PDB file of all heavy atoms in Angstrom:
ATOM      1  N   VAL M   1     -10.456  -9.607   8.468  1.00 92.00           N
ATOM      2  CA  VAL M   1     -10.449  -8.256   7.893  1.00 92.00           C
ATOM      3  C   VAL M   1      -9.150  -7.545   8.234  1.00 92.00           C
ATOM      4  O   VAL M   1      -8.500  -6.943   7.384  1.00 92.00           O
ATOM      5  CB  VAL M   1     -11.664  -7.446   8.429  1.00 92.00           C
ATOM      6  CG1 VAL M   1     -11.525  -5.979   8.072  1.00 92.00           C
ATOM      7  CG2 VAL M   1     -12.946  -8.015   7.850  1.00 92.00           C
ATOM      8  N   HIS M   2      -8.749  -7.614   9.512  1.00 93.00           N
ATOM      9  CA  HIS M   2      -7.513  -6.919   9.928  1.00 93.00           C
ATOM     10  C   HIS M   2      -6.280  -7.490   9.239  1.00 93.00           C
ATOM     11  O   HIS M   2      -5.415  -6.736   8.780  1.00 93.00           O
ATOM     12  CB  HIS M   2      -7.378  -7.014  11.442  1.00 93.00           C
ATOM     13  CG  HIS M   2      -8.378  -6.181  12.199  1.00 93.00           C
ATOM     14  ND1 HIS M   2      -8.505  -6.200  13.566  1.00 93.00           N
ATOM     15  CD2 HIS M   2      -9.303  -5.296  11.739  1.00 93.00           C
ATOM     16  CE1 HIS M   2      -9.440  -5.377  13.940  1.00 93.00           C
ATOM     17  NE2 HIS M   2      -9.956  -4.820  12.849  1.00 93.00           N
ATOM     18  N   GLU M   3      -6.182  -8.815   9.190  1.00 92.00           N
ATOM     19  CA  GLU M   3      -5.011  -9.421   8.537  1.00 92.00           C
ATOM     20  C   GLU M   3      -4.939  -9.074   7.060  1.00 92.00           C
ATOM     21  O   GLU M   3      -3.857  -8.867   6.522  1.00 92.00           O
ATOM     22  CB  GLU M   3      -5.035 -10.932   8.746  1.00 92.00           C
ATOM     23  CG  GLU M   3      -4.734 -11.375  10.161  1.00 92.00           C
ATOM     24  CD  GLU M   3      -4.764 -12.875  10.333  1.00 92.00           C
ATOM     25  OE1 GLU M   3      -5.166 -13.569   9.358  1.00 92.00           O
ATOM     26  OE2 GLU M   3      -4.373 -13.356  11.418  1.00 92.00           O
ATOM     27  N   PHE M   4      -6.082  -9.032   6.396  1.00 90.00           N
ATOM     28  CA  PHE M   4      -6.102  -8.710   4.968  1.00 90.00           C
ATOM     29  C   PHE M   4      -5.604  -7.291   4.734  1.00 90.00           C
ATOM     30  O   PHE M   4      -4.727  -7.063   3.873  1.00 90.00           O
ATOM     31  CB  PHE M   4      -7.541  -8.874   4.446  1.00 90.00           C
ATOM     32  CG  PHE M   4      -7.630  -8.729   2.946  1.00 90.00           C
ATOM     33  CD1 PHE M   4      -7.436  -9.835   2.130  1.00 90.00           C
ATOM     34  CD2 PHE M   4      -7.925  -7.525   2.346  1.00 90.00           C
ATOM     35  CE1 PHE M   4      -7.541  -9.739   0.736  1.00 90.00           C
ATOM     36  CE2 PHE M   4      -8.028  -7.401   0.966  1.00 90.00           C
ATOM     37  CZ  PHE M   4      -7.824  -8.502   0.163  1.00 90.00           C
ATOM     38  N   VAL M   5      -6.109  -6.335   5.492  1.00 92.00           N
ATOM     39  CA  VAL M   5      -5.704  -4.925   5.311  1.00 92.00           C
ATOM     40  C   VAL M   5      -4.265  -4.718   5.794  1.00 92.00           C
ATOM     41  O   VAL M   5      -3.498  -4.000   5.166  1.00 92.00           O
ATOM     42  CB  VAL M   5      -6.653  -3.991   6.085  1.00 92.00           C
ATOM     43  CG1 VAL M   5      -6.201  -2.520   5.952  1.00 92.00           C
ATOM     44  CG2 VAL M   5      -8.074  -4.123   5.552  1.00 92.00           C
ATOM     45  N   ASP M   6      -3.889  -5.397   6.872  1.00 92.00           N
ATOM     46  CA  ASP M   6      -2.512  -5.270   7.373  1.00 92.00           C
ATOM     47  C   ASP M   6      -1.484  -5.707   6.346  1.00 92.00           C
ATOM     48  O   ASP M   6      -0.358  -5.197   6.298  1.00 92.00           O
ATOM     49  CB  ASP M   6      -2.320  -6.107   8.642  1.00 92.00           C
ATOM     50  CG  ASP M   6      -2.964  -5.465   9.857  1.00 92.00           C
ATOM     51  OD1 ASP M   6      -3.275  -4.252   9.798  1.00 92.00           O
ATOM     52  OD2 ASP M   6      -3.168  -6.164  10.858  1.00 92.00           O
ATOM     53  N   GLY M   7      -1.842  -6.662   5.464  1.00 90.00           N
ATOM     54  CA  GLY M   7      -0.930  -7.084   4.409  1.00 90.00           C
ATOM     55  C   GLY M   7      -0.565  -5.930   3.495  1.00 90.00           C
ATOM     56  O   GLY M   7       0.610  -5.774   3.126  1.00 90.00           O
ATOM     57  N   TYR M   8      -1.560  -5.123   3.113  1.00 89.00           N
ATOM     58  CA  TYR M   8      -1.297  -3.972   2.266  1.00 89.00           C
ATOM     59  C   TYR M   8      -0.510  -2.902   3.021  1.00 89.00           C
ATOM     60  O   TYR M   8       0.381  -2.246   2.476  1.00 89.00           O
ATOM     61  CB  TYR M   8      -2.591  -3.380   1.741  1.00 89.00           C
ATOM     62  CG  TYR M   8      -3.269  -4.250   0.706  1.00 89.00           C
ATOM     63  CD1 TYR M   8      -4.277  -5.136   1.065  1.00 89.00           C
ATOM     64  CD2 TYR M   8      -2.884  -4.209  -0.625  1.00 89.00           C
ATOM     65  CE1 TYR M   8      -4.896  -5.936   0.122  1.00 89.00           C
ATOM     66  CE2 TYR M   8      -3.497  -5.019  -1.589  1.00 89.00           C
ATOM     67  CZ  TYR M   8      -4.511  -5.881  -1.201  1.00 89.00           C
ATOM     68  OH  TYR M   8      -5.120  -6.672  -2.137  1.00 89.00           O
ATOM     69  N   VAL M   9      -0.851  -2.701   4.302  1.00 91.00           N
ATOM     70  CA  VAL M   9      -0.189  -1.709   5.131  1.00 91.00           C
ATOM     71  C   VAL M   9       1.307  -2.061   5.255  1.00 91.00           C
ATOM     72  O   VAL M   9       2.190  -1.213   5.080  1.00 91.00           O
ATOM     73  CB  VAL M   9      -0.843  -1.598   6.505  1.00 91.00           C
ATOM     74  CG1 VAL M   9       0.022  -0.748   7.453  1.00 91.00           C
ATOM     75  CG2 VAL M   9      -2.246  -1.008   6.367  1.00 91.00           C
ATOM     76  N   ASP M  10       1.592  -3.317   5.576  1.00 89.00           N
ATOM     77  CA  ASP M  10       2.988  -3.755   5.769  1.00 89.00           C
ATOM     78  C   ASP M  10       3.774  -3.588   4.473  1.00 89.00           C
ATOM     79  O   ASP M  10       4.936  -3.165   4.506  1.00 89.00           O
ATOM     80  CB  ASP M  10       3.016  -5.210   6.197  1.00 89.00           C
ATOM     81  CG  ASP M  10       2.483  -5.415   7.612  1.00 89.00           C
ATOM     82  OD1 ASP M  10       2.422  -4.413   8.354  1.00 89.00           O
ATOM     83  OD2 ASP M  10       2.137  -6.554   7.947  1.00 89.00           O
ATOM     84  N   ARG M  11       3.155  -3.896   3.343  1.00 86.00           N
ATOM     85  CA  ARG M  11       3.862  -3.792   2.086  1.00 86.00           C
ATOM     86  C   ARG M  11       4.193  -2.321   1.797  1.00 86.00           C
ATOM     87  O   ARG M  11       5.255  -2.009   1.287  1.00 86.00           O
ATOM     88  CB  ARG M  11       3.018  -4.364   0.928  1.00 86.00           C
ATOM     89  CG  ARG M  11       3.803  -4.675  -0.307  1.00 86.00           C
ATOM     90  CD  ARG M  11       2.990  -5.487  -1.263  1.00 86.00           C
ATOM     91  NE  ARG M  11       1.970  -4.701  -1.898  1.00 86.00           N
ATOM     92  CZ  ARG M  11       1.055  -5.207  -2.735  1.00 86.00           C
ATOM     93  NH1 ARG M  11       1.031  -6.499  -2.980  1.00 86.00           N
ATOM     94  NH2 ARG M  11       0.141  -4.433  -3.303  1.00 86.00           N
ATOM     95  N   ALA M  12       3.247  -1.444   2.137  1.00 86.00           N
ATOM     96  CA  ALA M  12       3.477  -0.014   1.907  1.00 86.00           C
ATOM     97  C   ALA M  12       4.572   0.520   2.813  1.00 86.00           C
ATOM     98  O   ALA M  12       5.344   1.394   2.411  1.00 86.00           O
ATOM     99  CB  ALA M  12       2.176   0.748   2.124  1.00 86.00           C
ATOM    100  N   LEU M  13       4.634   0.016   4.026  1.00 86.00           N
ATOM    101  CA  LEU M  13       5.636   0.482   4.978  1.00 86.00           C
ATOM    102  C   LEU M  13       7.034  -0.074   4.662  1.00 86.00           C
ATOM    103  O   LEU M  13       8.048   0.595   4.947  1.00 86.00           O
ATOM    104  CB  LEU M  13       5.242   0.082   6.411  1.00 86.00           C
ATOM    105  CG  LEU M  13       4.022   0.795   6.997  1.00 86.00           C
ATOM    106  CD1 LEU M  13       3.671   0.153   8.338  1.00 86.00           C
ATOM    107  CD2 LEU M  13       4.290   2.294   7.155  1.00 86.00           C
ATOM    108  N   GLU M  14       7.092  -1.237   4.082  1.00 82.00           N
ATOM    109  CA  GLU M  14       8.371  -1.902   3.842  1.00 82.00           C
ATOM    110  C   GLU M  14       8.998  -1.573   2.503  1.00 82.00           C
ATOM    111  O   GLU M  14      10.185  -1.819   2.277  1.00 82.00           O
ATOM    112  CB  GLU M  14       8.194  -3.421   3.946  1.00 82.00           C
ATOM    113  CG  GLU M  14       7.835  -3.889   5.332  1.00 82.00           C
ATOM    114  CD  GLU M  14       7.397  -5.336   5.385  1.00 82.00           C
ATOM    115  OE1 GLU M  14       7.448  -5.980   4.298  1.00 82.00           O
ATOM    116  OE2 GLU M  14       7.017  -5.819   6.464  1.00 82.00           O
ATOM    117  N   SER M  15       8.220  -1.041   1.579  1.00 71.00           N
ATOM    118  CA  SER M  15       8.740  -0.739   0.247  1.00 71.00           C
ATOM    119  C   SER M  15       8.254   0.593  -0.244  1.00 71.00           C
ATOM    120  O   SER M  15       7.397   1.226   0.324  1.00 71.00           O
ATOM    121  CB  SER M  15       8.301  -1.855  -0.731  1.00 71.00           C
ATOM    122  OG  SER M  15       6.903  -1.879  -0.830  1.00 71.00           O
ATOM    123  N   ASP M  16       8.855   1.036  -1.311  1.00 60.00           N
ATOM    124  CA  ASP M  16       8.475   2.289  -1.955  1.00 60.00           C
ATOM    125  C   ASP M  16       7.323   2.039  -2.891  1.00 60.00           C
ATOM    126  O   ASP M  16       7.511   1.812  -4.084  1.00 60.00           O
ATOM    127  CB  ASP M  16       9.665   2.917  -2.678  1.00 60.00           C
ATOM    128  CG  ASP M  16       9.334   4.295  -3.203  1.00 60.00           C
ATOM    129  OD1 ASP M  16       8.207   4.777  -2.985  1.00 60.00           O
ATOM    130  OD2 ASP M  16      10.209   4.905  -3.832  1.00 60.00           O
ATOM    131  N   GLU M  17       6.093   2.055  -2.337  1.00 53.00           N
ATOM    132  CA  GLU M  17       4.941   1.738  -3.173  1.00 53.00           C
ATOM    133  C   GLU M  17       4.722   2.739  -4.293  1.00 53.00           C
ATOM    134  O   GLU M  17       4.048   2.467  -5.256  1.00 53.00           O
ATOM    135  CB  GLU M  17       3.667   1.647  -2.288  1.00 53.00           C
ATOM    136  CG  GLU M  17       3.607   0.415  -1.433  1.00 53.00           C
ATOM    137  CD  GLU M  17       3.412  -0.839  -2.284  1.00 53.00           C
ATOM    138  OE1 GLU M  17       2.389  -0.975  -2.946  1.00 53.00           O
ATOM    139  OE2 GLU M  17       4.340  -1.657  -2.297  1.00 53.00           O
ATOM    140  N   LYS M  18       5.240   3.946  -4.122  1.00 54.00           N
ATOM    141  CA  LYS M  18       5.009   4.980  -5.138  1.00 54.00           C
ATOM    142  C   LYS M  18       5.600   4.547  -6.475  1.00 54.00           C
ATOM    143  O   LYS M  18       5.157   4.965  -7.526  1.00 54.00           O
ATOM    144  CB  LYS M  18       5.631   6.290  -4.689  1.00 54.00           C
ATOM    145  CG  LYS M  18       4.769   6.979  -3.625  1.00 54.00           C
ATOM    146  CD  LYS M  18       5.182   8.424  -3.425  1.00 54.00           C
ATOM    147  CE  LYS M  18       4.188   9.137  -2.520  1.00 54.00           C
ATOM    148  NZ  LYS M  18       4.522  10.536  -2.352  1.00 54.00           N
ATOM    149  N   LYS M  19       6.646   3.700  -6.437  1.00 57.00           N
ATOM    150  CA  LYS M  19       7.193   3.215  -7.711  1.00 57.00           C
ATOM    151  C   LYS M  19       6.219   2.298  -8.401  1.00 57.00           C
ATOM    152  O   LYS M  19       6.130   2.258  -9.613  1.00 57.00           O
ATOM    153  CB  LYS M  19       8.520   2.488  -7.436  1.00 57.00           C
ATOM    154  CG  LYS M  19       9.632   3.403  -6.958  1.00 57.00           C
ATOM    155  CD  LYS M  19      10.908   2.615  -6.698  1.00 57.00           C
ATOM    156  CE  LYS M  19      12.024   3.552  -6.225  1.00 57.00           C
ATOM    157  NZ  LYS M  19      13.266   2.776  -5.902  1.00 57.00           N
ATOM    158  N   VAL M  20       5.452   1.546  -7.576  1.00 59.00           N
ATOM    159  CA  VAL M  20       4.449   0.613  -8.140  1.00 59.00           C
ATOM    160  C   VAL M  20       3.241   1.391  -8.664  1.00 59.00           C
ATOM    161  O   VAL M  20       2.697   1.099  -9.720  1.00 59.00           O
ATOM    162  CB  VAL M  20       3.995  -0.396  -7.078  1.00 59.00           C
ATOM    163  CG1 VAL M  20       2.949  -1.339  -7.629  1.00 59.00           C
ATOM    164  CG2 VAL M  20       5.210  -1.166  -6.561  1.00 59.00           C
ATOM    165  N   HIS M  21       2.818   2.412  -7.884  1.00 66.00           N
ATOM    166  CA  HIS M  21       1.606   3.155  -8.203  1.00 66.00           C
ATOM    167  C   HIS M  21       1.892   4.475  -8.921  1.00 66.00           C
ATOM    168  O   HIS M  21       1.049   5.355  -8.957  1.00 66.00           O
ATOM    169  CB  HIS M  21       0.812   3.442  -6.922  1.00 66.00           C
ATOM    170  CG  HIS M  21       0.480   2.199  -6.143  1.00 66.00           C
ATOM    171  ND1 HIS M  21       0.490   2.158  -4.774  1.00 66.00           N
ATOM    172  CD2 HIS M  21       0.137   0.967  -6.559  1.00 66.00           C
ATOM    173  CE1 HIS M  21       0.165   0.958  -4.371  1.00 66.00           C
ATOM    174  NE2 HIS M  21      -0.047   0.195  -5.428  1.00 66.00           N
ATOM    175  N   GLU M  22       3.074   4.603  -9.461  1.00 67.00           N
ATOM    176  CA  GLU M  22       3.454   5.872 -10.088  1.00 67.00           C
ATOM    177  C   GLU M  22       2.471   6.263 -11.178  1.00 67.00           C
ATOM    178  O   GLU M  22       2.044   5.466 -11.994  1.00 67.00           O
ATOM    179  CB  GLU M  22       4.840   5.699 -10.717  1.00 67.00           C
ATOM    180  CG  GLU M  22       5.444   7.033 -11.182  1.00 67.00           C
ATOM    181  CD  GLU M  22       6.876   6.869 -11.623  1.00 67.00           C
ATOM    182  OE1 GLU M  22       7.395   5.739 -11.532  1.00 67.00           O
ATOM    183  OE2 GLU M  22       7.463   7.868 -12.068  1.00 67.00           O
ATOM    184  N   GLY M  23       2.069   7.516 -11.140  1.00 68.00           N
ATOM    185  CA  GLY M  23       1.160   8.036 -12.156  1.00 68.00           C
ATOM    186  C   GLY M  23      -0.292   8.018 -11.765  1.00 68.00           C
ATOM    187  O   GLY M  23      -1.154   8.526 -12.494  1.00 68.00           O
ATOM    188  N   ARG M  24      -0.635   7.429 -10.580  1.00 76.00           N
ATOM    189  CA  ARG M  24      -2.018   7.447 -10.148  1.00 76.00           C
ATOM    190  C   ARG M  24      -2.068   7.633  -8.624  1.00 76.00           C
ATOM    191  O   ARG M  24      -1.137   7.257  -7.912  1.00 76.00           O
ATOM    192  CB  ARG M  24      -2.763   6.192 -10.557  1.00 76.00           C
ATOM    193  CG  ARG M  24      -2.197   4.886 -10.015  1.00 76.00           C
ATOM    194  CD  ARG M  24      -2.798   3.706 -10.732  1.00 76.00           C
ATOM    195  NE  ARG M  24      -2.232   2.456 -10.270  1.00 76.00           N
ATOM    196  CZ  ARG M  24      -2.791   1.654  -9.367  1.00 76.00           C
ATOM    197  NH1 ARG M  24      -3.947   2.042  -8.800  1.00 76.00           N
ATOM    198  NH2 ARG M  24      -2.234   0.520  -9.013  1.00 76.00           N
ATOM    199  N   TYR M  25      -3.180   8.193  -8.182  1.00 83.00           N
ATOM    200  CA  TYR M  25      -3.335   8.447  -6.747  1.00 83.00           C
ATOM    201  C   TYR M  25      -3.829   7.197  -6.014  1.00 83.00           C
ATOM    202  O   TYR M  25      -4.795   6.579  -6.425  1.00 83.00           O
ATOM    203  CB  TYR M  25      -4.349   9.586  -6.519  1.00 83.00           C
ATOM    204  CG  TYR M  25      -4.578   9.911  -5.052  1.00 83.00           C
ATOM    205  CD1 TYR M  25      -3.766  10.812  -4.400  1.00 83.00           C
ATOM    206  CD2 TYR M  25      -5.617   9.300  -4.347  1.00 83.00           C
ATOM    207  CE1 TYR M  25      -3.958  11.119  -3.064  1.00 83.00           C
ATOM    208  CE2 TYR M  25      -5.832   9.581  -3.010  1.00 83.00           C
ATOM    209  CZ  TYR M  25      -5.014  10.491  -2.376  1.00 83.00           C
ATOM    210  OH  TYR M  25      -5.202  10.776  -1.043  1.00 83.00           O
ATOM    211  N   VAL M  26      -3.153   6.835  -4.962  1.00 87.00           N
ATOM    212  CA  VAL M  26      -3.550   5.708  -4.100  1.00 87.00           C
ATOM    213  C   VAL M  26      -3.631   6.248  -2.674  1.00 87.00           C
ATOM    214  O   VAL M  26      -2.662   6.828  -2.172  1.00 87.00           O
ATOM    215  CB  VAL M  26      -2.566   4.536  -4.193  1.00 87.00           C
ATOM    216  CG1 VAL M  26      -2.917   3.448  -3.175  1.00 87.00           C
ATOM    217  CG2 VAL M  26      -2.572   3.962  -5.605  1.00 87.00           C
ATOM    218  N   PHE M  27      -4.759   6.041  -2.014  1.00 87.00           N
ATOM    219  CA  PHE M  27      -5.000   6.630  -0.693  1.00 87.00           C
ATOM    220  C   PHE M  27      -3.966   6.173   0.316  1.00 87.00           C
ATOM    221  O   PHE M  27      -3.492   6.953   1.129  1.00 87.00           O
ATOM    222  CB  PHE M  27      -6.403   6.246  -0.240  1.00 87.00           C
ATOM    223  CG  PHE M  27      -6.838   6.901   1.040  1.00 87.00           C
ATOM    224  CD1 PHE M  27      -7.138   8.261   1.045  1.00 87.00           C
ATOM    225  CD2 PHE M  27      -6.963   6.189   2.218  1.00 87.00           C
ATOM    226  CE1 PHE M  27      -7.547   8.896   2.215  1.00 87.00           C
ATOM    227  CE2 PHE M  27      -7.358   6.804   3.369  1.00 87.00           C
ATOM    228  CZ  PHE M  27      -7.661   8.167   3.383  1.00 87.00           C
ATOM    229  N   LEU M  28      -3.569   4.897   0.294  1.00 89.00           N
ATOM    230  CA  LEU M  28      -2.594   4.381   1.234  1.00 89.00           C
ATOM    231  C   LEU M  28      -1.267   5.101   1.100  1.00 89.00           C
ATOM    232  O   LEU M  28      -0.590   5.382   2.090  1.00 89.00           O
ATOM    233  CB  LEU M  28      -2.410   2.866   1.033  1.00 89.00           C
ATOM    234  CG  LEU M  28      -1.413   2.166   1.932  1.00 89.00           C
ATOM    235  CD1 LEU M  28      -1.684   2.426   3.389  1.00 89.00           C
ATOM    236  CD2 LEU M  28      -1.392   0.660   1.632  1.00 89.00           C
ATOM    237  N   ASP M  29      -0.847   5.412  -0.145  1.00 87.00           N
ATOM    238  CA  ASP M  29       0.410   6.131  -0.335  1.00 87.00           C
ATOM    239  C   ASP M  29       0.389   7.478   0.358  1.00 87.00           C
ATOM    240  O   ASP M  29       1.346   7.901   1.006  1.00 87.00           O
ATOM    241  CB  ASP M  29       0.657   6.356  -1.839  1.00 87.00           C
ATOM    242  CG  ASP M  29       0.926   5.067  -2.597  1.00 87.00           C
ATOM    243  OD1 ASP M  29       1.179   4.052  -1.926  1.00 87.00           O
ATOM    244  OD2 ASP M  29       0.859   5.091  -3.839  1.00 87.00           O
TER     245      ASP M  29
END
């Protein structure tokens, strides 16, 4: 569980996820 969620967390911290999710609300952003 931790490794699965950490994958999304690391991606959000390392890149500008807002460009990927532009136009919709994402809680992690």
Side-chain angles (χ1 to χ4, degrees):
V1 169
H2 289 174
E3 288 180 352
F4 188 86
V5 177
D6 284 344
Y8 288 97
V9 170
D10 291 341
R11 198 168 73 184
L13 291 173
E14 294 169 3
S15 62
D16 186 0
E17 286 292 296
K18 284 193 171 183
K19 291 180 181 177
V20 179
H21 304 143
E22 190 173 358
R24 61 193 178 98
Y25 179 87
V26 173
F27 187 71
L28 179 55
D29 292 346

